[in-house]
Amino acid sequence: MDALLDVRGVTKRFGNTVALEHVDLMLGPGRIVGLLGPNGSGKTTLVKLVVGLLTPTQGSVAVAGMPVGTQTKRLVSYLPDRTCFDNRMKVRDCVGLYADFYEDFDIAKAKEMLAALGIEGRAAFRSLSKGMKEKVQLALVMSRKARLYLLDEPIGGVDPAARDYILETIIRNYFEEGTVVISTHLIADVETVLDDVVFLRDGRVERVSSVDAIRESQGKSVDQVFREVFRCC
């Protein structure tokens, strides 16, 4: 498999706290991958290492064969687990910011998705509900022709109807040669869109598998297997 994401022997410590320990992970192109684990399992830390917001204590992280750095930032589209835009901005300012920063940003696509949401460019970001703010951010992230999309808890703070829209947005709009990594603990909500899963427990990779392999070998859903694996978490 040609590795789009290659994580080798990664450990990340914060003082005496070990957030990730000896993590090895390889992901290929053209997949939707669930990065699954309970809160505190190390999902956000791993995502931030791939984005370049953190550096490993030990080990290495590479995207498309390149060590994480300035060059890989051009290949990665990142949705953080919290709102990142200033409330004083208007939605059109957010769109303009992405257009200025990212050469692969498709402004027409972003406007199309925002229009489908009924969000006008002149709307003040502060006037939007939490769910709508998250949808704006997702629309912008998915409007890039990125190689790797990293979505940290994209459905964690929205209602079930909004979750359906967000998942539909993801599967319809990611660049076909790219890979999407969805970090979440809400397994049942995302399972239907996933090709592969990575289970994290206490900073270690517990399991990597295709969704089809889990269903065929165990006759169970990913959510059922997840609950069994993490029943004591």
Side-chain angles (χ1 to χ4, degrees), residues 140-202:
L140 300 183
V141 167
M142 300 309 298
S143 292
R144 290 185 56 197
K145 293 181 179 178
R147 296 287 305 281
L148 182 62
Y149 299 84
L150 297 174
L151 313 179
D152 196 359
E153 295 290 355
I155 61 173
V158 296
D159 59 72
R163 289 174 188 174
D164 291 342
Y165 175 84
I166 286 172
L167 293 174
E168 183 180 342
T169 299
I170 291 169
I171 62 177
R172 286 190 177 184
N173 292 284
Y174 78 97
F175 184 46
E176 61 184 11
E177 296 179 10
T179 281
V180 180
V181 176
I182 303 174
S183 168
T184 187
H185 62 280
L186 300 173
I187 318 304
D189 292 288
V190 302
E191 179 173 349
T192 57
V193 306
L194 300 179
D195 297 310
D196 306 302
V197 294
V198 178
F199 286 178
L200 274 183
R201 183 209 293 268
D202 298 328

Coordinates of all heavy atoms in Angstrom, one line a residue, residues 140-202:
L140 N -16.0 24.9 4.5 CA -14.8 25.5 4.0 C -13.7 24.4 3.9 O -12.9 24.3 3.0 CB -14.4 26.6 4.9 CG -15.3 27.8 5.0 CD1 -14.8 28.9 5.9 CD2 -15.6 28.4 3.6
V141 N -13.6 23.6 5.0 CA -12.6 22.5 5.0 C -12.8 21.5 3.8 O -11.8 21.1 3.2 CB -12.7 21.7 6.3 CG1 -11.9 20.4 6.3 CG2 -12.2 22.6 7.5
M142 N -14.1 21.2 3.5 CA -14.3 20.2 2.4 C -14.3 20.9 1.0 O -14.4 20.2 0.0 CB -15.7 19.6 2.7 CG -15.8 18.8 4.0 SD -14.5 17.6 4.3 CE -14.7 16.5 2.9
S143 N -14.1 22.2 1.0 CA -14.0 22.9 -0.3 C -12.6 22.9 -0.8 O -12.3 23.5 -1.9 CB -14.6 24.3 -0.2 OG -16.0 24.2 0.0
R144 N -11.7 22.3 -0.1 CA -10.3 22.2 -0.6 C -10.1 20.9 -1.3 O -10.7 19.9 -1.0 CB -9.3 22.3 0.6 CG -9.2 23.7 1.3 CD -8.1 23.7 2.3 NE -6.9 23.3 1.8 CZ -5.8 22.9 2.5 NH1 -5.9 22.8 3.8 NH2 -4.7 22.5 1.9
K145 N -9.2 20.9 -2.3 CA -8.8 19.6 -3.0 C -7.6 19.1 -2.3 O -6.5 19.0 -2.8 CB -8.6 19.9 -4.5 CG -9.8 20.3 -5.2 CD -9.5 20.6 -6.7 CE -10.7 21.0 -7.5 NZ -10.5 21.3 -8.9
A146 N -7.8 18.7 -1.0 CA -6.7 18.2 -0.2 C -6.4 16.7 -0.4 O -7.3 16.0 -1.0 CB -7.0 18.4 1.3
R147 N -5.3 16.3 0.0 CA -4.9 14.8 -0.1 C -5.4 14.2 1.2 O -5.8 13.0 1.2 CB -3.4 14.7 -0.2 CG -2.8 15.2 -1.5 CD -3.2 14.3 -2.7 NE -2.8 12.9 -2.5 CZ -1.6 12.4 -2.6 NH1 -0.6 13.2 -3.0 NH2 -1.3 11.1 -2.4
L148 N -5.4 14.9 2.3 CA -5.8 14.3 3.6 C -6.7 15.3 4.3 O -6.3 16.5 4.6 CB -4.6 14.0 4.4 CG -4.7 13.4 5.8 CD1 -5.4 12.0 5.7 CD2 -3.4 13.2 6.5
Y149 N -7.9 14.9 4.7 CA -8.8 15.7 5.5 C -8.9 15.1 6.9 O -9.1 13.9 7.1 CB -10.3 15.6 4.9 CG -10.4 16.1 3.5 CD1 -10.1 15.2 2.4 CD2 -10.8 17.4 3.2 CE1 -10.2 15.7 1.1 CE2 -10.9 17.8 1.9 CZ -10.6 17.0 0.8 OH -10.7 17.4 -0.5
L150 N -8.6 15.9 7.9 CA -8.6 15.5 9.3 C -9.7 16.3 10.0 O -9.7 17.5 10.2 CB -7.2 15.9 9.9 CG -6.0 15.1 9.3 CD1 -4.8 15.7 10.0 CD2 -6.1 13.6 9.6
L151 N -10.7 15.5 10.4 CA -11.9 16.1 11.0 C -12.0 15.7 12.4 O -12.3 14.5 12.7 CB -13.2 15.7 10.2 CG -13.1 15.8 8.7 CD1 -14.4 15.3 8.0 CD2 -12.8 17.2 8.2
D152 N -11.8 16.6 13.3 CA -11.8 16.2 14.8 C -13.1 16.5 15.4 O -13.6 17.6 15.6 CB -10.7 17.1 15.5 CG -10.3 16.5 16.9 OD1 -10.9 15.5 17.3 OD2 -9.5 17.1 17.5
E153 N -13.8 15.4 15.7 CA -15.2 15.5 16.3 C -16.1 16.4 15.5 O -16.7 17.3 16.0 CB -15.1 15.9 17.8 CG -14.4 15.0 18.7 CD -15.1 13.7 19.0 OE1 -16.3 13.5 18.5 OE2 -14.6 12.8 19.6
P154 N -16.3 16.1 14.2 CA -17.2 17.0 13.4 C -18.6 16.9 13.7 O -19.4 17.8 13.3 CB -16.9 16.5 11.9 CG -16.5 15.0 12.1 CD -15.8 15.0 13.4
I155 N -19.1 15.9 14.4 CA -20.5 15.7 14.7 C -20.8 15.8 16.2 O -21.9 15.5 16.7 CB -21.1 14.4 14.1 CG1 -20.4 13.2 14.7 CG2 -21.0 14.5 12.6 CD1 -21.0 11.9 14.3
G156 N -19.8 16.1 17.0 CA -19.9 16.0 18.5 C -20.9 17.0 19.1 O -21.5 16.7 20.1
G157 N -21.0 18.2 18.5 CA -21.8 19.2 19.2 C -23.1 19.6 18.5 O -23.7 20.6 18.7
V158 N -23.6 18.7 17.6 CA -24.8 19.1 16.8 C -25.9 18.0 16.9 O -25.6 16.9 17.4 CB -24.4 19.2 15.3 CG1 -23.5 20.4 15.1 CG2 -23.8 17.9 14.7
D159 N -27.1 18.4 16.6 CA -28.2 17.5 16.7 C -28.2 16.4 15.7 O -27.5 16.5 14.7 CB -29.5 18.2 16.7 CG -29.7 19.0 15.3 OD1 -29.9 18.3 14.3 OD2 -29.6 20.2 15.3
P160 N -29.0 15.3 15.9 CA -28.9 14.1 14.9 C -29.2 14.5 13.5 O -28.6 14.0 12.6 CB -30.0 13.2 15.5 CG -30.0 13.5 16.9 CD -29.8 15.0 17.1
A161 N -30.2 15.4 13.2 CA -30.5 15.8 11.9 C -29.2 16.5 11.2 O -28.9 16.3 10.1 CB -31.7 16.8 11.8
A162 N -28.6 17.4 12.0 CA -27.4 18.1 11.5 C -26.2 17.1 11.3 O -25.5 17.2 10.3 CB -26.9 19.1 12.5
R163 N -26.2 16.0 12.1 CA -25.2 15.0 11.9 C -25.3 14.3 10.5 O -24.3 14.1 9.8 CB -25.2 13.9 13.0 CG -24.8 14.4 14.3 CD -25.0 13.4 15.4 NE -24.7 13.9 16.7 CZ -24.9 13.3 17.9 NH1 -25.4 12.1 17.8 NH2 -24.6 13.9 19.0
D164 N -26.6 14.0 10.1 CA -26.8 13.4 8.8 C -26.3 14.3 7.7 O -25.7 13.9 6.7 CB -28.3 13.2 8.7 CG -28.8 12.0 9.6 OD1 -28.0 11.3 10.1 OD2 -30.0 12.0 9.8
Y165 N -26.6 15.7 7.8 CA -26.1 16.6 6.8 C -24.6 16.6 6.7 O -24.0 16.6 5.6 CB -26.7 18.0 7.1 CG -26.1 19.0 6.1 CD1 -26.7 19.2 4.9 CD2 -25.0 19.7 6.4 CE1 -26.2 20.1 3.9 CE2 -24.5 20.6 5.5 CZ -25.1 20.8 4.2 OH -24.5 21.7 3.3
I166 N -24.0 16.7 7.9 CA -22.5 16.8 7.9 C -21.9 15.5 7.3 O -21.0 15.7 6.5 CB -22.1 16.9 9.4 CG1 -22.4 18.3 9.9 CG2 -20.6 16.6 9.5 CD1 -22.1 18.6 11.4
L167 N -22.4 14.4 7.6 CA -21.8 13.1 7.0 C -22.1 13.1 5.5 O -21.2 12.7 4.7 CB -22.4 11.9 7.7 CG -22.0 11.7 9.1 CD1 -22.8 10.5 9.7 CD2 -20.5 11.5 9.3
E168 N -23.2 13.5 5.1 CA -23.5 13.6 3.6 C -22.6 14.6 2.9 O -22.1 14.3 1.8 CB -25.0 14.0 3.4 CG -25.4 14.1 2.0 CD -26.9 14.5 1.8 OE1 -27.6 14.4 2.8 OE2 -27.2 14.9 0.7
T169 N -22.3 15.7 3.6 CA -21.4 16.7 3.1 C -20.0 16.1 2.9 O -19.3 16.4 1.9 CB -21.3 18.0 4.0 OG1 -22.6 18.5 4.1 CG2 -20.4 19.0 3.4
I170 N -19.6 15.4 3.9 CA -18.2 14.8 3.8 C -18.1 13.8 2.6 O -17.2 13.9 1.8 CB -17.9 14.1 5.2 CG1 -17.8 15.1 6.3 CG2 -16.7 13.2 5.0 CD1 -17.7 14.5 7.7
I171 N -19.1 12.9 2.5 CA -18.9 11.8 1.5 C -19.1 12.4 0.1 O -18.6 11.8 -0.9 CB -19.8 10.6 1.8 CG1 -21.3 11.0 1.7 CG2 -19.5 10.0 3.1 CD1 -22.2 9.9 1.9
R172 N -19.8 13.5 0.0 CA -20.1 14.0 -1.4 C -19.0 15.0 -1.8 O -18.9 15.2 -3.0 CB -21.5 14.7 -1.4 CG -22.7 13.8 -1.4 CD -23.9 14.6 -1.6 NE -25.1 13.7 -1.7 CZ -26.3 14.1 -2.0 NH1 -26.5 15.4 -2.3 NH2 -27.3 13.3 -2.1
N173 N -18.2 15.5 -0.9 CA -17.4 16.7 -1.3 C -15.9 16.5 -1.1 O -15.1 17.4 -1.5 CB -17.8 17.9 -0.5 CG -19.2 18.4 -0.9 OD1 -19.4 19.0 -2.0 ND2 -20.2 18.1 -0.1
Y174 N -15.5 15.4 -0.6 CA -14.0 15.2 -0.4 C -13.4 14.9 -1.8 O -14.0 14.3 -2.6 CB -13.6 14.2 0.6 CG -13.7 12.8 0.3 CD1 -12.6 12.1 -0.1 CD2 -14.9 12.1 0.4 CE1 -12.6 10.7 -0.4 CE2 -15.0 10.7 0.1 CZ -13.8 10.0 -0.3 OH -13.9 8.7 -0.6
F175 N -12.2 15.4 -2.0 CA -11.4 15.1 -3.2 C -11.2 13.6 -3.4 O -10.7 13.0 -2.5 CB -10.1 15.9 -3.1 CG -9.2 15.8 -4.4 CD1 -9.8 16.0 -5.6 CD2 -7.9 15.5 -4.3 CE1 -9.0 16.0 -6.7 CE2 -7.1 15.5 -5.4 CZ -7.6 15.7 -6.6
E176 N -11.6 13.1 -4.5 CA -11.7 11.7 -4.7 C -10.3 10.9 -4.6 O -10.3 9.7 -4.3 CB -12.2 11.3 -6.1 CG -11.4 11.9 -7.3 CD -12.1 11.6 -8.6 OE1 -13.3 11.2 -8.6 OE2 -11.4 11.8 -9.6
E177 N -9.2 11.7 -4.7 CA -7.9 11.0 -4.5 C -7.4 11.2 -3.1 O -6.3 10.7 -2.7 CB -6.9 11.6 -5.5 CG -7.2 11.3 -6.9 CD -6.2 12.0 -7.9 OE1 -5.2 12.4 -7.4 OE2 -6.5 12.0 -9.1
G178 N -8.2 11.8 -2.3 CA -7.8 12.1 -0.9 C -8.4 11.1 0.1 O -9.2 10.2 -0.3
T179 N -8.0 11.1 1.3 CA -8.5 10.3 2.4 C -9.0 11.2 3.5 O -8.4 12.2 3.8 CB -7.3 9.4 2.9 OG1 -7.2 8.3 2.0 CG2 -7.6 8.9 4.3
V180 N -10.1 10.7 4.1 CA -10.8 11.5 5.2 C -10.6 10.7 6.4 O -10.9 9.5 6.5 CB -12.3 11.7 4.9 CG1 -12.9 12.4 6.0 CG2 -12.5 12.4 3.6
V181 N -10.1 11.4 7.5 CA -10.0 10.8 8.8 C -11.0 11.5 9.7 O -10.9 12.7 9.9 CB -8.6 10.9 9.4 CG1 -8.5 10.3 10.8 CG2 -7.6 10.1 8.5
I182 N -12.0 10.7 10.3 CA -13.0 11.3 11.1 C -12.7 10.8 12.6 O -12.8 9.6 12.9 CB -14.4 10.9 10.7 CG1 -14.7 11.3 9.3 CG2 -15.4 11.5 11.7 CD1 -16.0 10.8 8.8
S183 N -12.3 11.7 13.4 CA -12.0 11.4 14.8 C -13.3 11.6 15.6 O -13.9 12.7 15.6 CB -10.9 12.3 15.4 OG -10.8 12.2 16.8
T184 N -13.7 10.5 16.3 CA -15.0 10.6 17.0 C -15.1 9.5 18.0 O -14.5 8.4 17.9 CB -16.2 10.6 16.1 OG1 -17.4 10.9 16.8 CG2 -16.3 9.3 15.3
H185 N -16.0 9.7 19.0 CA -16.4 8.6 19.9 C -17.9 8.2 19.6 O -18.4 7.3 20.3 CB -16.2 9.0 21.4 CG -17.1 10.1 21.8 ND1 -16.8 11.5 21.5 CD2 -18.3 10.2 22.4 CE1 -17.7 12.3 22.0 NE2 -18.6 11.5 22.5
L186 N -18.5 8.8 18.6 CA -19.9 8.6 18.3 C -19.9 7.6 17.1 O -20.2 7.9 16.0 CB -20.6 9.9 17.9 CG -20.7 10.9 19.0 CD1 -21.2 12.2 18.5 CD2 -21.5 10.4 20.2
I187 N -19.7 6.3 17.4 CA -19.4 5.3 16.4 C -20.7 5.0 15.6 O -20.6 5.0 14.3 CB -19.0 4.0 17.0 CG1 -17.9 4.3 18.2 CG2 -18.4 3.1 16.0 CD1 -16.7 5.0 17.8
A188 N -21.8 4.9 16.2 CA -23.0 4.5 15.5 C -23.4 5.5 14.4 O -23.9 5.2 13.4 CB -24.2 4.3 16.4
D189 N -23.1 6.8 14.7 CA -23.5 7.9 13.8 C -22.6 7.9 12.5 O -23.1 8.4 11.5 CB -23.4 9.2 14.5 CG -24.4 9.4 15.6 OD1 -25.6 9.5 15.3 OD2 -24.0 9.3 16.8
V190 N -21.4 7.4 12.6 CA -20.5 7.6 11.5 C -20.2 6.2 10.7 O -19.7 6.2 9.6 CB -19.1 8.2 11.9 CG1 -19.3 9.5 12.5 CG2 -18.3 7.2 12.8
E191 N -20.6 5.1 11.4 CA -20.2 3.8 10.8 C -20.6 3.6 9.4 O -19.9 3.0 8.6 CB -20.9 2.7 11.7 CG -20.5 1.3 11.2 CD -21.0 0.3 12.2 OE1 -21.4 0.6 13.4 OE2 -21.0 -0.9 11.8
T192 N -21.8 4.1 9.0 CA -22.2 3.8 7.6 C -21.4 4.5 6.5 O -21.5 4.0 5.4 CB -23.7 4.3 7.4 OG1 -23.7 5.7 7.8 CG2 -24.6 3.6 8.4
V193 N -20.6 5.5 6.9 CA -19.7 6.1 5.8 C -18.3 5.6 5.8 O -17.5 6.0 5.0 CB -19.8 7.7 6.0 CG1 -21.2 8.1 6.0 CG2 -19.0 8.1 7.2
L194 N -17.9 4.8 6.8 CA -16.5 4.4 7.0 C -16.1 3.3 6.1 O -16.8 2.3 5.9 CB -16.2 4.1 8.4 CG -16.5 5.2 9.5 CD1 -16.2 4.7 10.9 CD2 -15.7 6.4 9.2
D195 N -14.9 3.3 5.6 CA -14.2 2.2 4.9 C -13.3 1.4 5.9 O -13.3 0.2 5.9 CB -13.3 2.7 3.8 CG -14.1 3.4 2.7 OD1 -15.1 2.8 2.2 OD2 -13.7 4.5 2.3
D196 N -12.6 2.1 6.8 CA -11.7 1.5 7.7 C -11.9 2.2 9.1 O -12.4 3.3 9.2 CB -10.3 1.7 7.3 CG -10.0 1.2 5.8 OD1 -10.3 0.0 5.6 OD2 -9.6 2.1 5.0
V197 N -11.4 1.4 10.1 CA -11.4 2.0 11.5 C -10.1 1.8 12.2 O -9.4 0.8 11.9 CB -12.5 1.3 12.3 CG1 -13.9 1.7 11.8 CG2 -12.4 -0.2 12.4
V198 N -9.7 2.7 13.0 CA -8.6 2.6 13.9 C -9.1 2.8 15.3 O -9.7 3.9 15.6 CB -7.5 3.7 13.5 CG1 -6.3 3.6 14.5 CG2 -7.1 3.6 12.1
F199 N -8.9 1.8 16.2 CA -9.3 1.9 17.6 C -8.1 2.4 18.4 O -7.0 1.8 18.3 CB -9.7 0.6 18.1 CG -11.1 0.1 17.6 CD1 -11.6 -1.1 18.0 CD2 -11.9 0.9 16.8 CE1 -12.8 -1.5 17.6 CE2 -13.1 0.5 16.3 CZ -13.6 -0.7 16.8
L200 N -8.3 3.5 19.2 CA -7.2 4.0 20.1 C -7.7 3.7 21.5 O -8.8 4.0 21.9 CB -7.0 5.5 19.9 CG -6.0 5.9 18.8 CD1 -5.9 7.4 18.8 CD2 -4.6 5.3 19.0
R201 N -6.8 3.2 22.3 CA -7.0 3.1 23.7 C -5.8 3.5 24.5 O -4.7 3.0 24.3 CB -7.3 1.6 24.1 CG -7.7 1.4 25.6 CD -7.3 0.0 26.1 NE -8.1 -1.0 25.4 CZ -9.2 -1.5 26.0 NH1 -9.7 -1.0 27.1 NH2 -9.9 -2.5 25.3
D202 N -6.0 4.5 25.4 CA -4.9 5.0 26.3 C -3.7 5.3 25.5 O -2.5 5.0 26.0 CB -4.6 3.9 27.4 CG -5.8 3.6 28.3 OD1 -6.6 4.6 28.5 OD2 -5.9 2.5 28.8

